[in-house]
Amino acid sequence: MSALDREAALGAGQVSALINEWNERHFRLPATNVPTLSHLGPEEAAERVRALWGLGEAPIPNMVHLLEANGVRVFSLAGDCESIDAYSLRHKGRPFCILNTRKSGERGRFDAAHELGHLVLHADDRLAHGVEAEEQANKFASAFLMPRAGILAQSLRDATPDRILLAKRKWKVAAVALTYRLHDLGLLSEWKYKAVSKRLAQLGYRRGEPGGITRESSQLLGKVFASLRHDEERISLADALSLTTEELNLHVFGLVPIVLDGGREASPPSRPRLQLVGARRG
């Protein structure tokens, strides 16, 4: 990436860290439950995390919610970082995942799983650098979203493009990603893989995901802002960080209500208050 893009992305990470520090001072948020498995390969590491988190072999309903439930702080990437898909980091021991929300819903789920792969695989002496690390994170994401046993149970050997398009809805992944996974598991021969990939490209699935799923958002941040809307003190996170509401929204999936003329608020649909983790003042 260019130096300008890199600086913009690092700036987005710094703002996300500040937002999280404010949130942690005012709310009890989920504790970190992300293992370090740098000694394992991507496939085995994905299976290990699935087992730790009690996921079985079923499709994952929502990747962002899953990460947040296990202590990963998930934020959106500001528009001036559009060339970057996603990135992850650890700050003061807390894992962060920063996602570009302009991609398709399926691509966003894969990006989230890819960054989880970096957090799990590339700690300690295996830092995330170069093509090899990216390939490992991709393999982790593929195995995490499409577990071997779950896929093998779907009768997808020599699957046709129509069958793949049907199965991708179940697993909430891109058609091309599922096709690659089937080939990787030996369910599609090299010839069949190329033929299916060519047909999917003709249908527009190489450039995007026609009729795809809705982009995932943050449940944790939604509950934080819902709680603040109901708070009599009307604590302003934007004011505390010297940001405008518009600037704050770039980093929090657009979940902050915007005040309209007349004092009314334009806000997302109401969400439950932050109940599971409780609220506290500090």
Side-chain angles (χ1 to χ4, degrees):
M1 69 183 71
S2 69
L4 185 62
D5 287 342
R6 178 180 175 82
E7 290 303 315
L10 291 174
Q14 290 172 338
V15 173
S16 298
L18 291 173
I19 295 171
N20 181 67
E21 288 175 5
W22 190 94
N23 287 342
E24 290 190 349
R25 285 199 302 270
H26 293 84
F27 299 94
R28 288 193 298 272
L29 305 182
T32 300
N33 184 30
V34 178
T36 297
L37 303 173
S38 55
H39 61 291
L40 299 179
E43 185 91 24
E44 186 178 355
E47 292 175 354
R48 190 76 62 87
V49 177
R50 270 188 158 263
L52 175 66
W53 291 355
L55 300 175
E57 304 298 336
I60 295 170
N62 191 301
M63 266 302 302
V64 173
H65 295 179
L66 178 65
L67 292 179
E68 291 180 326
N70 287 282
V72 181
R73 305 298 189 244
V74 185
F75 292 89
S76 53
L77 200 56
D80 56 356
C81 307
E82 190 171 349
S83 64
I84 301 168
D85 292 332
Y87 72 96
S88 55
L89 64 131
R90 289 182 183 269
H91 176 67
K92 296 182 179 179
R94 182 76 66 195
F96 284 74
C97 181
I98 319 293
L99 300 174
N100 187 327
T101 59
R102 297 175 184 268
K103 309 299 181 181
S104 70
E106 290 86 350
R107 178 60 180 272
R109 283 168 56 85
F110 193 90
D111 287 344
H114 175 102
E115 296 309 322
L116 175 62
H118 280 310
L119 292 170
V120 170
L121 294 171
H122 301 131
D124 302 328
D125 59 335
R126 289 183 64 185
L127 298 179
H129 291 301
V131 175
E132 182 182 2
E134 293 306 307
E135 290 178 349
Q136 290 170 350
N138 279 337
K139 287 183 177 296
F140 177 96
S142 183
F144 191 74
L145 291 171
M146 298 165 279
R148 178 189 299 270
I151 293 296
L152 292 178
Q154 296 298 302
S155 301
L156 291 170
R157 182 174 294 279
D158 294 326
T160 64
D162 286 344
R163 180 72 181 90
I164 289 173
L165 292 179
L166 182 64
K168 90 176 195 70
R169 299 190 185 99
K170 173 182 175 67
W171 296 96
K172 297 185 179 181
V173 295
V176 171
L178 177 56
T179 304
Y180 182 86
R181 179 63 168 158
L182 295 179
H183 177 57
D184 192 46
L185 292 175
L187 299 177
L188 290 180
S189 66
E190 186 68 22
W191 177 87
K192 185 74 172 180
Y193 170 67
K194 291 180 178 179
V196 171
S197 297
K198 180 179 180 180
R199 179 56 181 158
L200 290 176
Q202 292 171 344
L203 293 172
Y205 285 93
R206 176 66 65 180
R207 297 183 302 275
E209 211 62 29
I213 63 175
T214 302
R215 180 76 199 211
E216 295 176 353
S217 185
S218 168
Q219 185 177 57
L220 186 149
L221 292 172
K223 289 182 177 181
V224 165
F225 295 126
S227 294
L228 296 183
R229 284 200 300 272
H230 290 89
D231 195 311
E232 293 179 357
E233 298 179 18
R234 305 294 294 173
I235 296 174
S236 173
L237 172 56
D239 289 345
L241 300 180
S242 300
L243 298 173
T244 67
T245 302
E246 290 75 14
E247 288 172 333
L248 178 60
N249 260 330
L250 295 175
H251 303 277
V252 296
F253 298 90
L255 292 169
V256 183
I258 303 295
V259 177
L260 304 176
D261 292 340
R264 295 180 296 109
E265 288 183 347
S267 61
S270 61
R271 296 170 179 265
R273 298 188 66 179
L274 206 61
Q275 296 175 343
L276 293 180
V277 297
R280 63 179 172 87
R281 299 293 174 217

